[in-house]
């Protein structure tokens, strides 16, 4: 059984979607550890109720270096195959990322490369785009610039506010992230020239 | 009947789509003048065969200032309501654009703000996005940054090359541009805070 770590900072709705699909037997994996860099992340209680192993590493108190050292140890001790960022609001350093090559996934609420960084839904509304969506990508050294695994598109309506657009995108995120994790865990994709391609050899 | 100018530099497939919809009575407008900044643009012959008024202003020979002066005179003499860029490969200066406020439309082969500028389809393939598309926008001082009127989305397949992706997008462009021109000509939209919104008052 492949072993996942989920890193989060808040309510963890994508974490719940992943945990639900695992429980239903639709995603063959085990969440080995849930790590929050925020003490009061509401997702922590949800994880505990599910009987999952939770770790809190307060990134503000620890400082970047100590935080990443402890996080690295936690992840290596848990022998995780894949690290899923799910509303994880801390930027990981390049040196940390290099320690887990092609092992860190993130989900972002826009059709990247449009609207990277924070407040993507607001950025989209301010720009007046007619479509937005979400992207699952491998994490590289840039902000939301890594190889794209999957994307989904939603319409943007003139009546939308940040909340309504965020909700519409989030519903897609919950589907998309599980699909992407499944592709990675089953070795269905690989990275070639900085892009994700389907594996030609079946494993 | 509203009067259009179409500005182009090449084969003019969007020009033909517009002219066809007008001929079919599906777009209530008249193409008053077709302007090419390139002597040998294949679209010129197509325009002449349709009995349309064509003007060639060789932008390279004339130089930017003289080119824009002559273009301005041509458009004002033709009393056009709307100027449609259709594969027009010359960047218009801010001073020129200010002379035709909210009167210049462009179509671009990406879901802007992703992949502005040249070779959008190649940019999309290089980035490995799973969706691309096209955007009709008003022209402002930036490169493909103006208020967005309409967008359309197409999937990007792993087997795509520039040609196959361009063709898929182009088929959408031909539909989208006519819809956007129709909205503008019927005063169905207006620009508010740099974004396109539906007109609340019906005219």
């Amino acid at each position: 059984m492949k072993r996942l770590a989920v890193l989060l900072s808040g309510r963890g709705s994508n974490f719940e979607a992943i945990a639900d699909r695992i429980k239903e037997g639709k995603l063959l994996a085990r969440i080995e550890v849930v790590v929050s860099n925020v003490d009061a992340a509401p997702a922590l209680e949800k994880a505990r109720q599910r009987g999952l192993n939770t770790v809190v590493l307060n990134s503000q108190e620890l400082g970047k270096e100590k935080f990443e050292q402890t996080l690295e140890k936690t992840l290596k001790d848990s022998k995780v195959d894949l690290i899923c960022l799910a509303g994880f609001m801390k930027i990981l350093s390049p040196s940390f990322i290099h320690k887990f090559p092609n092992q860190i996934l993130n989900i972002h609420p826009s059709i990247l490369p449009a609207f990277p960084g924070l407040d993507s839904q607001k950025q989209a509304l301010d720009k007046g785009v007619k479509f937005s969506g979400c992207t699952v990508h491998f994490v590289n050294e840039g902000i939301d610039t890594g190889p794209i695994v999957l994307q989904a598109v939603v319409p943007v309506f003139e009546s939308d506010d940040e909340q309504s657009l965020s909700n519409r995108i989030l519903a897609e995120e919950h589907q998309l992230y599980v699909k992407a994790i499944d592709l990675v865990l089953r070795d269905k994709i690989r990275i070639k020239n900085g892009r994700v391609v389907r594996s030609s050899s079946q494993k």
Side-chain angles (χ1 to χ4, degrees), chain A:
Chain A
M1 189 73 88
K2 297 287 182 126
R3 300 154 76 96
L4 300 181
V6 180
L7 274 54
L8 44 75
S9 311
R11 60 185 170 165
S13 80
N14 273 303
F15 152 66
E16 288 195 283
I18 295 165
D20 284 346
R21 292 303 89 72
I22 289 174
K23 197 176 170 189
E24 294 162 5
K26 289 175 182 166
L27 179 64
L28 293 175
R30 186 167 70 191
I31 296 176
E32 196 60 31
V33 62
V34 175
V35 181
S36 172
N37 70 316
V38 174
D39 290 349
L44 285 167
E45 183 52 31
K46 296 175 191 165
R48 287 183 200 113
Q49 284 171 0
R50 290 170 183 264
L52 296 172
N53 181 28
T54 61
V55 173
V56 179
L57 301 174
N58 188 313
S59 54
Q60 239 176 343
E61 284 176 11
L62 291 167
K64 185 138 191 153
E65 197 176 339
K66 183 75 182 158
F67 168 75
E68 291 196 345
Q69 281 172 3
T70 319
L71 179 59
E72 182 189 344
K73 187 172 183 329
T74 302
L75 297 171
K76 295 210 160 154
D77 286 351
S78 300
K79 296 187 175 59
V80 297
D81 297 291
L82 187 64
I83 300 157
C84 301
L85 311 188
F88 181 68
M89 301 305 283
K90 182 89 187 159
I91 292 166
L92 297 165
S93 71
S95 65
F96 181 91
I97 291 163
H98 291 161
K99 284 167 183 155
F100 299 93
N102 301 336
Q103 276 188 288
I104 311 176
L105 284 183
N106 185 38
I107 188 157
H108 182 83
S110 75
I111 317 172
L112 290 171
F115 313 127
L118 294 174
D119 299 323
S120 304
Q121 299 91 340
K122 184 173 187 303
Q123 290 185 57
L125 291 171
D126 288 349
K127 180 66 196 169
V129 291
K130 307 303 175 186
F131 295 93
S132 191
C134 50
T135 302
V136 179
H137 64 92
F138 285 101
V139 173
N140 68 6
E141 298 174 20
I143 304 294
D144 302 320
T145 59
I148 293 168
V149 182
L150 290 175
Q151 297 185 297
V153 174
V154 304
V156 180
F157 302 121
E158 196 171 315
S159 56
D160 272 328
D161 57 17
E162 267 186 83
Q163 193 60 57
S164 63
L165 179 58
S166 298
N167 289 345
R168 192 175 308 122
I169 293 172
L170 199 59
E172 294 294 322
E173 288 180 41
H174 295 164
Q175 310 287 325
L176 198 73
Y177 211 174
V178 172
K179 275 188 209 170
I181 292 167
D182 184 58
L183 286 173
V184 174
L185 293 183
R186 292 195 294 128
D187 285 325
K188 292 293 186 189
I189 57 170
R190 61 195 169 91
I191 297 174
K192 189 181 167 185
N193 301 327
R195 287 186 300 155
V196 169
V197 295
R198 297 265 164 172
S199 300
S200 44
S201 60
Q202 300 296 316
K203 291 183 185 180

